[in-house]
């Protein structure tokens, strides 16, 4: 097998385009999953059963069905109901929705890990419920779960190639298209593999350092 540097050079403009799309999907999907996961977690703590039960059913259904199925559903079924988004927007929403059901569990663990004395102190100070959550509980809970949330960012990165199934040309999609047009697979796919390593491995090291810092 001969390595063709010319193919690498020709592929790089496509790679940069795909990298930009991948990073967009990663950033927006992460934001949605973090924000919506916190909403799910707070709704699951409401005393009203008619709120908790539907939220529990929906989140369990999403968490226990494949992301690829959800991508296809949003991309192909919603237009039949006259709800249409771009392929990238659909992919971002699907990723954010899917991973929000996992970040929900992380938030729940963080909230439950706040010492009972903190709740008692807020009650003794007669703090309003909203103030108790925003000033006492959530700052402590989120600080505890930042490393775990970061792990899901890496998971989202590794799932972005699934967007290729709904015509989004992220990194792997660009590599696949280039390979099919030029009948050269080794170089573009190797570049993509190296790119994922160069992004995910430093991110994992950063998360370890952050975790050590937060547990001090």
């Amino acid at each position: 097998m001969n390595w063709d540097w010319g193919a690498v050079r020709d592929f790089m403009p496509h790679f940069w385009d795909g990298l930009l799309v991948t990073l967009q999907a990663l950033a927006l999907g992460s934001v949605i999953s973090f924000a919506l996961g916190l909403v799910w977690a707070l709704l699951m703590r409401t005393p009203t059963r008619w709120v908790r039960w539907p939220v529990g059913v929906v989140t369990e259904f999403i968490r226990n069905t494949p992301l690829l199925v959800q991508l296809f559903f949003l991309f192909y079924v919603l237009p039949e109901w006259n709800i249409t988004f771009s392929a990238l927007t659909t992919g971002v929403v699907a990723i954010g929705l899917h991973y929000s059901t996992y970040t929900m569990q992380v938030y729940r663990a963080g909230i439950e890990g706040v010492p009972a004395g903190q709740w008692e102190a807020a009650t003794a100070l007669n703090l309003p419920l909203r103030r108790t959550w925003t000033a006492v509980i959530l700052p402590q809970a989120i600080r505890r779960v930042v490393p775990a949330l970061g792990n899901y960012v890496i998971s989202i990165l590794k799932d972005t190639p699934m967007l290729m199934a709904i015509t989004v040309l992220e990194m792997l999609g660009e590599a696949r298209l280039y390979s099919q047009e030029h009948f050269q697979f080794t170089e573009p796919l190797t570049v993509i593999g190296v790119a994922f390593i160069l992004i995910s491995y430093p991110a994992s090291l950063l998360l370890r350092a952050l975790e050590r810092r937060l547990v001090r």
Side-chain angles (χ1 to χ4, degrees):
M1 180 185 68
N2 295 323
W3 181 263
D4 187 350
W5 286 105
V8 175
R9 184 180 60 253
D10 293 341
F11 171 65
M12 290 310 294
H14 303 277
F15 165 75
W16 294 119
D17 290 341
L19 176 62
L20 178 60
V21 173
T22 295
L23 294 179
Q24 286 179 330
L26 173 63
L28 296 175
S30 298
V31 169
I32 293 174
S33 69
F34 293 166
L36 189 55
L38 181 58
V39 172
W40 294 140
L42 294 177
L43 289 176
M44 288 296 291
R45 292 187 63 87
T46 60
T48 306
R49 184 180 62 179
W50 299 112
V51 173
R52 295 197 313 271
W53 185 81
V55 170
V57 170
V58 169
T59 54
E60 283 296 325
F61 177 81
I62 294 173
R63 186 165 56 248
N64 289 286
T65 53
L67 174 58
L68 188 59
V69 173
Q70 295 164 18
L71 283 167
F72 281 145
F73 182 88
L74 294 179
F75 189 68
Y76 292 108
V77 176
L78 289 187
E80 296 183 1
W81 299 344
N82 296 319
I83 303 175
T84 305
F85 302 103
S86 68
L88 180 57
T89 300
T90 301
V92 166
V93 170
I95 287 176
L97 185 62
H98 182 81
Y99 275 95
S100 71
T101 62
Y102 292 95
T103 59
M104 176 191 74
Q105 299 297 341
V106 174
Y107 285 123
R108 287 181 66 183
I111 292 170
E112 292 172 0
V114 175
Q118 297 295 312
W119 295 91
E120 295 168 357
T123 302
L125 292 172
N126 200 29
L127 291 179
L129 183 60
R130 182 176 179 180
R131 181 69 174 169
T132 299
W133 277 104
T134 58
V136 180
I137 304 304
L138 288 181
Q140 296 183 64
I142 292 175
R143 183 176 182 272
R144 294 167 179 266
V145 302
V146 166
L149 293 176
N151 289 331
Y152 283 113
V153 174
I154 297 176
S155 296
I156 290 173
L157 170 66
K158 292 189 290 186
D159 273 348
T160 54
M162 287 192 183
L163 301 186
M164 180 177 57
I166 57 171
T167 74
V168 175
L169 291 180
E170 40 64 62
M171 287 196 294
L172 185 59
E174 290 283 4
R176 180 173 177 267
L177 183 62
Y178 179 89
S179 299
Q180 290 176 338
E181 291 178 348
H182 297 84
F183 300 101
Q184 290 177 301
F185 293 87
T186 302
E187 291 82 6
L189 292 176
T190 301
V191 169
I192 296 306
V194 171
F196 272 106
I197 292 174
L198 291 179
I199 297 172
S200 61
Y201 185 65
S204 66
L205 295 178
L206 179 62
L207 286 172
R208 292 177 193 172
L210 180 61
E211 183 174 9
R212 288 194 296 269
R213 183 179 180 86
L214 290 177
V215 298
R216 288 179 181 176

